[in-house]
């Protein structure tokens, strides 16, 4: 229900649901889980950027939080050790 609600909001209009396994830190994979893939807006210094993300909702959700990855695109830089 949370995913359905998110997808119907202005932020969720650029996310698309799919399913795929989540690869864990130890290299193992989960069975296919719900993934919301797309972009979410982020405002920094009065400029809005659309961040490409993959949001995995694990089977114990909401007892376990989603796992979210930022998927950099060409020309996008992620600054290491940034204070934010």
């Amino acid at each position: 229900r949370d995913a359905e609600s998110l997808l119907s909001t202005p932020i969720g209009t650029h996310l698309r649901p799919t399913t795929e396994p989540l690869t864990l830190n130890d290299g193992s994979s989960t069975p296919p889980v719900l993934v919301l893939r797309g972009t979410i807006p982020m405002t920094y210094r009065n400029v809005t950027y659309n961040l490409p993300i993959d949001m995995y909702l694990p089977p114990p959700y909401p007892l376990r939080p989603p796992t979210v990855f930022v998927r950099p695109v060409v020309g996008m830089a992620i600054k290491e050790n940034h204070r934010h």
Side-chain angles (χ1 to χ4, degrees), residues 4 13 22 32 43 52 55 58 63 67 69 71 74-75 81 83-84:
E4 187 177 343
T13 58
L22 171 62
T43 302
M55 180 185 310
L63 300 176
T67 300
F69 297 99
R71 299 288 181 199
V74 175
N81 301 318
R83 62 186 177 102
H84 297 297

Side-chain angles (χ1 to χ4, degrees), residues 27-54:
S28 64
S29 296
T30 67
V33 297
L34 178 62
V35 181
L36 301 177
R37 179 171 285 138
T39 61
I40 57 170
M42 179 201 76
T43 302
Y44 176 70
R45 294 188 179 172
N46 294 321
V47 177
T48 300
Y49 299 91
N50 291 307
L51 299 178
I53 65 155
D54 292 347

